[in-house]
């Protein structure tokens, strides 16, 4: 079955440093979504990428979808303590249900 | 966010108890999901319902029994659980179960502890 792998599993940065999490799929995806889960909270949808090579930005967050539509990345510039949480990618092949990666837990020290 | 609600928020039960988790979505969606989230296996998809019909069951033990009486409500009936079933149980909904661009809206979850 479809697998979505995410690295790193965990990252601890100082406030102001950049952060990147990577997502790789075993199959070509029709789209990829990113979710954020704050500590003690539930996953919340951030963004969806559909087109090959697509890049989208949300303030300090930059999302990329690979040319082959099998990988994606989320980059945060100049992290803030409010960025703390677990970031999940979720991929869909065709009209199948979403497959979530295991997530990257981000800790930001002030 | 109050689009997807779950009750109870916390539940402690013994291995011989029977309890039910409830999920309600107020978004007019046609698909609902149960996920299990634990430290070892984040976000395991358990069940998918589309228009009240179960469309996916990911090899979940029979001690977990889902019920979807209508497109707005989803239950997870629990009986004779094991301590390793302790986890956060998340409900989610989306417009459809297979729409190519559907996003999922999660409820706050039920933190279950099995003693």
């Amino acid at each position: 079955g479809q697998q979505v792998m995410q690295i790193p599993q965990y990252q601890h940065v100082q406030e102001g440093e950049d952060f990147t999490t990577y997502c790789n799929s075993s199959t070509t995806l029709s789209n990829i979504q990113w979710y954020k889960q704050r500590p003690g909270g539930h996953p919340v949808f951030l963004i969806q990428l559909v087109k090959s090579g697509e890049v989208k930005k949300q303030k300090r967050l930059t999302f990329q979808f690979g040319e082959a539509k099998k990988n994606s990345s989320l980059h945060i510039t100049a992290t803030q303590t409010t960025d703390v949480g677990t970031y999940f990618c979720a991929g869909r092949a065709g009209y199948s249900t979403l497959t979530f990666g295991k997530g990257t837990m981000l800790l930001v020290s002030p | 966010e109050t689009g997807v609600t779950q009750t109870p928020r916390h539940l402690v039960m013994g291995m011989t108890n029977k309890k039910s988790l409830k999920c309600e979505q107020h978004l007019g969606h046609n698909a609902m999901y149960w996920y299990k989230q634990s430290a070892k296996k984040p976000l395991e998809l358990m069940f998918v319902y589309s228009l009240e019909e179960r469309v996916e069951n990911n090899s979940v033990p029979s001690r977990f029994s889902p019920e979807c009486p209508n497109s707005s409500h989803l239950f997870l009936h629990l009986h004779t659980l094991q301590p390793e079933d302790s986890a956060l149980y998340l409900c989610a909904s989306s417009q459809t179960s297979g729409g190519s661009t559907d996003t999922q809206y999660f409820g706050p979850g039920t933190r279950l502890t099995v003693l």
Side-chain angles (χ1 to χ4, degrees):
Chain A
Q2 179 185 342
Q3 290 187 330
V4 175
M5 292 145 287
Q6 201 172 342
I7 56 169
Q9 186 176 348
Y10 169 87
Q11 188 151 7
H12 187 178
V13 301
Q14 293 292 315
E15 191 171 23
E17 293 181 339
D18 293 355
F19 160 77
T20 305
T21 173
Y22 300 90
C23 186
N24 289 284
S25 169
S26 56
T27 58
T28 301
L29 302 170
S30 55
N31 62 74
I32 195 156
Q33 300 176 4
W34 286 90
Y35 292 76
K36 177 183 179 181
Q37 184 174 19
R38 295 182 185 275
H42 57 277
V44 175
F45 173 77
L46 292 177
I47 207 162
Q48 177 171 256
L49 304 170
V50 179
K51 298 177 183 177
S52 169
E54 188 170 14
V55 178
K56 286 188 176 180
K57 291 189 176 183
Q58 287 181 350
K59 297 183 180 178
R60 294 177 294 103
L61 278 61
T62 302
F63 303 84
Q64 290 188 317
F65 201 9
E67 294 289 341
K69 300 183 76 172
K70 295 183 74 172
N71 58 75
S72 181
S73 65
L74 157 60
H75 180 81
I76 303 178
T77 304
T79 55
Q80 300 176 358
T81 55
T82 53
D83 295 325
V84 165
T86 299
Y87 293 85
F88 293 94
C89 64
R92 174 180 278 121
Y95 292 91
S96 65
T97 51
L98 276 177
T99 300
F100 282 82
K102 292 189 174 182
T104 296
M105 183 184 294
L106 173 64
L107 277 182
V108 181
S109 295
Chain B
E1 298 174 19
T2 58
V4 182
T5 58
Q6 287 186 247
T7 55
R9 295 294 306 275
H10 300 272
L11 178 62
V12 179
M13 59 187 290
M15 289 189 285
T16 58
N17 292 158
K18 289 185 179 180
K19 297 287 184 182
S20 295
L21 309 184
K22 179 182 176 182
C23 176
E24 184 173 359
Q25 58 96 1
H26 312 272
L27 301 169
H29 289 165
N30 293 317
M32 297 186 77
Y33 310 77
W34 279 118
Y35 287 87
K36 175 184 178 183
Q37 187 175 43
S38 61
K40 291 185 178 180
K41 293 186 179 181
L43 284 175
E44 288 180 82
L45 179 63
M46 300 175 73
F47 302 104
V48 180
Y49 275 84
S50 176
L51 295 171
E52 301 122 57
E53 286 191 21
R54 192 188 310 178
V55 297
E56 195 161 331
N57 175 352
N58 284 357
S59 303
V60 179
S62 59
R63 57 185 183 269
F64 295 91
S65 175
E67 179 190 1
C68 188
N70 55 63
S71 59
S72 298
H73 293 86
L74 185 64
F75 295 89
L76 188 62
H77 303 300
L78 316 171
H79 64 97
T80 60
L81 294 191
Q82 304 297 312
E84 58 264 29
D85 297 322
S86 299
L88 180 68
Y89 288 84
L90 289 160
C91 173
S93 72
S94 64
Q95 189 60 51
T96 68
S97 64
S100 62
T101 57
D102 280 353
T103 60
Q104 294 192 5
Y105 294 81
F106 285 83
T110 295
R111 175 68 63 185
L112 174 67
T113 303
V114 182
L115 301 177

